[in-house]
Amino acid sequence: KSDDMLEKAFAQKADVAFDRALKIDPEDWTARFTKANSYSHWPAITGKPARAVKHFHTLIEQQEASGRRDPKFAQTYVLLGNMLNQQGKADEARAMWERGRRVFPDNAGLRDALK
């Protein structure tokens, strides 16, 4: 029990830190990606997975608008597709992985997701 409480306390502190970073720079990729990834591991009842999906969508919009093709950006498509798939939205998941594959044709994670 005490480990769970400690883990929750650290998660809450991390969330506050991500919010601070995003307040300073709403396009801070690392802060938004890490926040979204963190939310993706919470139970659905908390509403955090739904918020993760929104953050991943925001990241994709920001990534595509920037015109940069940083290889780490491929993970956004992979993880969002995985989340959509877990939510029973297989068609949306596949569309997301395909969208990512158009930008990152050599990414193994996207290639594997589309098998």
Side-chain angles (χ1 to χ4, degrees), residues 19-84:
D19 286 341
R20 275 195 222 125
L22 291 169
K23 187 174 182 181
I24 294 167
D25 179 4
E27 294 190 15
D28 182 314
W29 187 89
T30 301
R32 190 171 303 278
F33 180 85
T34 308
K35 182 180 183 85
N37 189 36
S38 153
Y39 279 3
S40 72
H41 299 285
W42 283 74
I45 194 167
T46 65
K48 302 236 185 208
R51 291 170 62 193
V53 168
K54 289 180 184 178
H55 280 290
F56 281 129
H57 276 293
T58 298
L59 274 170
I60 287 171
E61 290 170 15
Q62 291 173 344
Q63 290 171 191
E64 291 177 353
S66 77
R68 292 179 39 228
R69 297 291 178 249
D70 189 319
K72 70 183 177 190
F73 290 175
Q75 280 303 106
T76 309
Y77 298 93
V78 172
L79 294 180
L80 178 53
N82 291 350
M83 288 194 74
L84 293 168

Side-chain angles (χ1 to χ4, degrees), residues 84-85 87-95 97:
L84 293 168
N85 198 44
Q87 294 173 355
K89 300 174 182 176
D91 291 342
E92 287 181 52
R94 184 162 191 81
W97 294 322

